[in-house]
């Protein structure tokens, strides 16, 4: 590109005699990624123009031309007909330049009383707000799929684990219900973040406001913001909302990853608790018998990527003086990839939950190992024989060791064998060693009893506004 053409394409006006070098253009331009903000940028410009006309800063004819031109540009970009220019740096100037080509002088009046600083801050807030709303739809669907699967399995018994060792009997529905709560908190975090996102920077201009008689409350209303940000310097400088969003996204991705890990474990031939269809598995290039849970494994890996974006944004902001620095251009790619990565992870997890089939027999067989009713035995000794819990714990542990010696379950020890450890035991002890009874005995609020799980699922459906299809 010649120096003359560089100068003609410069957006900085008369201050610069020459144009930037090719290297400067390459490092400075953001259009390759911030074109994703085109809809938000046009939305903000239309609101700004509407306000300018109402305040008699531009004419009604200018407003009409600007609105029509922006609508045409929106159609061009959406259809793929728009030609983006690296020389014009970013989405703002690409749109403004095309608008001037379409409508002439009125396009030059659009930027009155605003800066690219408040323009991009507005665009990003609109983008994050839209993404939060879309993510919430996906998370709600995931909760509904979990609710349905949990409701179908409130009496499907399986081992509950700590340290991946058999702990106590639970139901598969009880286990899935835990993730309904976790995803619910993710939705709450994102909605809480949305409250701080939903403030308008538009009209803050470069950093100090403007001398034009603008109405920032009007533009905030037109863009469905709750209010204009009260300090112009903060309005253009703040990116904590983006940091908060990536933090909430990281926590959500971690929850998805934990469930993905369990799906990986449950689908192994050693567990065989669930089966995934061909839609969410892949094969091996060399081993024809393989059916790999690749979707779950990829979801398990995604938090590292999203967490990295959080660290990237935090590092960009940590020593940045007010107001705007070009460093802040680097906020967009981590933000865009966070939304894309989290969105596809949610969709894939939602699909797997709906898709999985449950091997109830394998779950039940797993309960024959690891003595999952040992705690119930200790509780029996406390409740029926008046033992102190620590003494009861010791007696129960000794009986577990005896069962291991005999190679059998606790309930298969004879009463004589049990009485050799604790003489006061009688036939009633066998009632607490049965898996169903042990699971249903935990009827405390939030416990494993099927009746309580069903109540909690019904309450969750109301709290999280879910379609309750499990009944």
């Amino acid at each position: 590109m010649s120096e003359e053409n560089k100068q003609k394409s410069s957006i900085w006006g008369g201050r610069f005699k020459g144009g930037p070098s090719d290297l400067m253009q390459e490092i400075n331009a953001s259009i390759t990624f911030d074109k994703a903000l085109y809809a938000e940028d046009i939305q903000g410009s239309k609101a700004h123009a509407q306000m300018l006309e109402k305040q008699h800063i531009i004419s009604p004819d200018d407003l009409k031309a600007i609105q029509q031109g922006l609508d045409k540009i929106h159609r061009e970009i959406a259809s793929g007909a728009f030609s983006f220019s690296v020389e014009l740096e970013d989405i703002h100037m690409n749109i403004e330049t095309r608008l001037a080509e379409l409508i002439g002088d009125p396009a030059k009046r659009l930027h009155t009383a605003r800066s690219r600083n408040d323009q991009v801050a507005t665009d990003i807030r609109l983008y994050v707000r839209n993404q939060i709303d879309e993510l919430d739809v996906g998370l709600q669907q995931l909760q509904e799929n979990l609710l349905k699967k949990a409701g179908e399995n409130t009496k499907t018994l399986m081992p509950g684990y700590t340290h991946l060792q058999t702990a106590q009997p639970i139901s598969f529905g009880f286990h899935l219900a835990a993730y309904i709560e976790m995803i619910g908190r993710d939705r709450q975090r994102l909605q809480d973040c949305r409250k701080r996102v939903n403030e308008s920077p538009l009209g803050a201009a470069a950093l100090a406001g403007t001398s034009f008689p603008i109405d920032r409350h009007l533009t905030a209303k037109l863009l469905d913001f709750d209010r204009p940000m009260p300090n112009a310097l903060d309005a253009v400088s703040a990116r904590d909302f983006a940091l908060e969003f990536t933090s909430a996204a990281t926590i959500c991705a971690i929850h998805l990853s934990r469930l993905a890990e369990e799906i990986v474990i449950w689908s192994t031939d050693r567990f065989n608790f669930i089966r995934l269809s061909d839609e969410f598995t892949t094969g091996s290039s060399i081993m024809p018998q393989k059916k790999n849970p690749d979707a779950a494994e990829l979801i398990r890996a995604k938090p590292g990527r999203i967490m990295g974006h959080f660290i990237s944004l935090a590092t960009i902001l940590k020593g940045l003086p007010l107001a705007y620095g070009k460093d802040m251009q680097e906020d967009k790619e981590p933000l865009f990839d966070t939304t894309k990565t989290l969105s596809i992870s949610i969709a894939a997890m939602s699909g797997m939950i709906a898709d999985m089939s449950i091997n109830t027999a394998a779950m039940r067989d797993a309960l024959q190992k690891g003595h999952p009713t040992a705690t119930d035995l200790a509780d029996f000794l406390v409740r029926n024989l008046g033992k102190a819990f620590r003494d009861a714990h010791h007696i129960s542990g000794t009986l577990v060791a005896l069962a291991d010696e005999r190679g059998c379950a606790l309930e298969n020890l004879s009463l004589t064998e049990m009485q050799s450890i604790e003489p006061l035991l009688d036939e009633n002890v066998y009632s607490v060693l049965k898996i169903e009874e042990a699971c249903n005995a935990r009827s405390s609020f939030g416990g494993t009893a099927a009746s309580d799980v069903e109540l909690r699922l019904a309450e969750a459906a109301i709290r999280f506004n879910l379609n309750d299809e499990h009944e």
Side-chain angles (χ1 to χ4, degrees):
M1 186 178 185
S2 70
E3 287 299 320
E4 180 182 0
N5 287 335
K6 284 180 183 176
Q7 186 173 350
K8 286 180 180 178
S9 69
S10 173
I11 61 176
W12 305 313
R15 170 66 178 84
F16 289 79
K17 295 180 179 179
S21 68
D22 291 340
L23 181 58
M24 180 59 195
Q25 283 188 344
E26 184 175 354
I27 194 173
N28 192 50
S30 60
I31 189 58
T32 55
F33 50 85
D34 72 10
K35 60 186 177 183
L37 295 172
Y38 80 89
E40 289 81 5
D41 195 72
I42 290 172
Q43 182 185 6
S45 289
K46 291 176 75 173
H48 184 67
Q50 190 173 338
M51 180 275 296
L52 292 177
E53 188 275 333
K54 186 175 184 299
Q55 296 300 106
H56 307 293
I57 299 171
I58 64 173
S59 71
D61 288 341
D62 285 343
L63 173 62
K64 183 178 179 180
I66 289 168
Q67 301 277 33
Q68 290 176 345
L70 289 172
D71 286 341
K72 179 175 176 58
I73 291 169
H74 192 289
R75 292 192 296 270
E76 289 177 348
I77 298 177
S79 68
F82 191 93
S83 179
F84 292 101
S85 169
V86 174
E87 285 77 14
L88 294 173
E89 291 190 13
D90 56 33
I91 187 63
H92 321 300
M93 295 312 303
N94 270 265
I95 288 174
E96 185 176 315
T97 301
R98 175 59 177 153
L99 187 63
E101 293 173 356
L102 291 172
I103 68 172
D105 283 346
K108 299 176 183 178
R109 301 186 181 99
L110 174 60
H111 207 54
T112 305
R114 76 173 181 185
S115 162
R116 282 191 295 174
N117 292 358
D118 63 331
Q119 189 177 357
V120 70
T122 302
D123 291 358
I124 296 175
R125 284 178 181 268
L126 290 171
Y127 172 85
V128 173
R129 187 181 72 185
N130 292 340
Q131 293 303 312
I132 287 174
D133 292 344
E134 290 183 17
L135 289 169
D136 188 68
V137 172
L139 288 170
Q140 184 179 36
Q141 182 62 62
L142 173 55
Q143 282 185 300
E144 289 176 354
N145 290 351
L146 286 164
L147 181 73
K148 185 174 188 299
K149 195 70 72 174
E152 294 168 352
N153 290 280
T154 58
K155 297 178 182 177
T156 302
L157 300 185
M158 64 176 286
Y161 297 97
T162 61
H163 309 277
L164 268 183
Q165 306 293 314
T166 298
Q168 293 177 321
I170 63 172
S171 69
F172 190 58
F174 177 75
H175 195 119
L176 292 182
Y179 285 102
I180 295 174
E181 298 298 328
M182 293 160 74
I183 299 302
R185 291 192 295 274
D186 291 324
R187 290 180 65 194
Q188 291 166 352
R189 265 184 287 271
L190 286 167
Q191 288 303 315
D192 195 51
C193 172
R194 192 188 191 280
K195 296 174 185 176
R196 282 173 287 283
V197 169
N198 205 37
E199 296 183 340
S200 176
L202 193 57
L207 78 162
T210 176
S211 58
F212 288 94
I214 63 171
D215 185 347
R216 291 189 62 210
H217 288 84
L218 175 60
T219 50
K221 181 179 179 181
L222 291 171
L223 294 170
D224 291 323
F225 284 119
D226 293 332
R227 63 191 66 83
M229 297 181 72
N231 182 282
L233 186 61
D234 176 54
V236 300
S237 305
R239 293 296 185 274
D240 53 340
F241 69 92
L243 196 60
E244 182 178 1
F245 171 75
T246 53
S247 172
T250 297
I251 297 171
C252 182
I254 288 170
H255 286 161
L256 296 176
S257 179
R258 295 184 72 179
L259 180 52
E261 167 66 359
E262 299 208 280
I263 289 173
V264 171
I265 292 171
W266 292 337
S267 64
T268 62
D269 54 7
R270 299 303 175 100
F271 277 74
N272 196 26
F273 286 180
I274 65 165
R275 296 186 185 92
L276 297 172
S277 74
D278 295 350
E279 290 189 33
F280 294 96
T281 56
T282 64
S284 165
S285 64
I286 188 172
M287 295 170 284
Q289 83 281 11
K290 294 297 291 299
K291 192 172 185 179
N292 302 321
D294 282 9
E297 291 173 350
L298 287 167
I299 292 171
R300 186 175 60 183
K302 295 300 185 184
R305 183 171 185 154
I306 296 175
M307 195 181 305
H309 294 326
F310 172 82
I311 296 299
S312 176
L313 282 171
T315 304
I316 290 166
L317 295 171
K318 69 167 183 62
L320 198 61
L322 303 181
Y324 183 86
K326 196 68 171 181
D327 319 48
M328 294 169 81
Q329 180 171 291
E330 295 296 308
D331 63 357
K332 297 174 191 63
E333 287 181 287
L335 195 58
F336 296 161
D337 191 69
T338 292
T339 59
K340 179 181 177 182
T341 302
L342 185 58
S343 179
I344 196 170
S345 296
I346 293 167
M349 180 57 73
S350 189
M352 281 192 293
I353 294 299
D355 174 79
M356 68 170 60
S357 58
I358 314 304
N359 188 343
T360 57
M363 290 183 177
R364 184 59 185 249
D365 287 346
L367 282 165
Q368 304 310 308
K369 303 173 184 177
H371 309 293
T373 57
T375 304
D376 299 272
L377 174 56
D379 290 344
F380 176 88
L381 292 167
V382 172
R383 188 168 47 246
N384 291 59
L385 301 185
K387 300 287 185 180
F389 182 78
R390 283 300 165 205
D391 293 335
H393 185 283
H394 178 77
I395 293 167
S396 182
T398 305
L399 287 167
V400 165
L402 179 60
D404 284 341
E405 283 180 27
R406 300 288 192 268
C408 67
L410 274 173
E411 62 187 284
N412 292 327
L413 287 173
S414 69
L415 182 58
T416 301
E417 287 173 317
M418 289 191 180
Q419 289 174 338
S420 69
I421 305 299
E422 175 46 63
L424 295 178
L425 284 170
D426 58 26
E427 292 285 348
N428 291 322
V429 70
Y430 290 104
S431 65
V432 300
L433 298 180
K434 294 178 180 178
I435 299 298
E436 286 86 359
E437 282 77 358
C439 191
N440 286 318
R442 294 183 174 84
S443 57
S444 59
F445 185 90
T448 60
S451 58
D452 191 75
V453 174
E454 289 167 2
L455 285 172
R456 301 292 82 77
L457 289 174
E459 290 171 359
I462 295 170
R463 276 188 292 123
F464 299 121
N465 193 29
L466 309 177
N467 290 324
D468 189 359
E469 299 177 352
H470 76 279
E471 294 183 342

